[in-house]
Amino acid sequence: MSSSTEHRTDGRGRTTGSVLSGLAVAVGCVLFLGGFVWGALIYRPYTVPTDSMSPTIAAGARVLAERVDGSEIRRGDIVVFKDDVWGDLPMVKRVVGTGGDKVACCTKQGRLTVNGKPVEEPYLQGSGPASPVGFKAKVPAGQLFLLGDHRNDSLDSRVHLTDGDHGSVPRSAVNARVDARAWPLGSVGVMQRPTSFAALPGGISQPGPVQPITFAVVAGAVLILGGAAYGPLARRGARKRG
């Protein structure tokens, strides 16, 4: 009698290999489908139409944005929002100031300041000052001050400074927070929170569950493919040994 595990049965004629193969496919399906459902409930895809967030997000790039309440937004977050004053179309910008902040630019070194503290912004396009035009604003309570990363090519809070809210938008205008780039393939990755805002009151936000969701989908696909392939290969090997 062969000692191969492929010849051991579970009492109903199924080999150990067949049982393990089926189990791998079943677990893989749960992870794969569960990951997609989880992601669909939490994230929304957006296409960024302009170059205003370059180089962080290029024009035409596809991003995944976590559905969050505006109260969860912190400085440094990249958000998707819609506001009547800004044209009532979905826009993507970075939050640099929240309610009560005094935002200004620029210092002698060309930096943005929040409440008088210079902020390092390594994500900006180019090596020039943080804004080609100087400005200052006090953000009303419950509002957000938003700038693009490509300050020379971004229509943002700076062009709305004469509005009643000094260029800011209400937190309630935020629909989602960008967590990852999904397309093009060369730019795929999780969006890092800028540490330069971490020392300010309120700190920075934490990434959403995009990484565990991705792991679940990838692991599920591997188990499904591996389990489906193992069964036929194991049976063929058993026949050869037989």
Side-chain angles (χ1 to χ4, degrees):
M1 181 182 293
S2 171
S3 60
S4 170
T5 56
E6 284 304 318
H7 287 185
R8 297 173 189 165
T9 66
D10 62 357
R12 289 177 291 179
R14 295 184 303 177
T15 65
T16 302
S18 297
V19 173
L20 293 177
S21 174
L23 181 61
V25 171
V27 173
C29 287
V30 171
L31 287 173
F32 187 79
L33 296 177
F36 266 110
V37 172
W38 186 13
L41 291 174
I42 295 178
Y43 287 97
R44 296 180 63 183
Y46 287 91
T47 299
V48 179
T50 70
D51 200 41
S52 68
M53 284 302 296
S54 177
T56 308
I57 306 172
R62 196 78 164 165
V63 299
L64 294 178
E66 182 185 7
R67 305 169 196 260
V68 296
D69 186 80
S71 62
E72 300 177 45
I73 299 303
R74 300 289 182 268
R75 300 178 196 86
D77 287 344
I78 298 173
V79 298
V80 180
F81 68 98
K82 187 166 68 172
D83 184 73
D84 292 340
V85 177
W86 292 50
D88 200 30
L89 294 171
M91 295 187 177
V92 180
K93 303 292 180 188
R94 187 185 297 275
V95 177
V96 299
T98 58
D101 284 345
K102 294 180 180 179
V103 183
C105 197
C106 302
T107 66
K108 291 181 179 180
Q109 292 74 34
R111 295 181 190 172
L112 177 81
T113 63
V114 179
N115 300 326
K117 298 180 180 179
V119 177
E120 292 282 354
E121 298 185 280
Y123 43 76
L124 294 183
Q125 174 75 281
S127 57
S131 175
V133 179
F135 67 90
K136 59 181 179 179
K138 183 172 182 180
V139 187
Q143 303 279 117
L144 302 169
F145 198 85
L146 303 154
L147 298 177
D149 287 357
H150 192 342
R151 302 282 162 81
N152 291 330
D153 190 26
S154 176
L155 299 177
D156 46 41
S157 287
R158 293 170 298 172
V159 302
H160 294 282
L161 289 173
T162 57
D163 297 345
D165 291 323
H166 307 288
S168 63
V169 302
R171 285 182 176 270
S172 58
V174 173
N175 298 317
R177 176 173 53 211
V178 177
D179 239 13
R181 292 177 293 263
W183 185 264
L185 291 177
S187 68
V188 171
V190 176
M191 204 69 64
Q192 300 298 317
R193 270 46 173 183
T195 57
S196 51
F197 292 98
L200 296 172
I204 56 178
S205 64
Q206 297 300 313
V210 65
Q211 288 183 310
I213 288 174
T214 302
F215 176 80
V217 172
V218 172
V222 170
L223 285 172
I224 291 171
L225 294 174
Y230 177 76
L233 291 174
R235 285 194 292 274
R236 181 181 300 176
R239 285 195 297 269
K240 288 182 178 179
R241 287 192 297 269

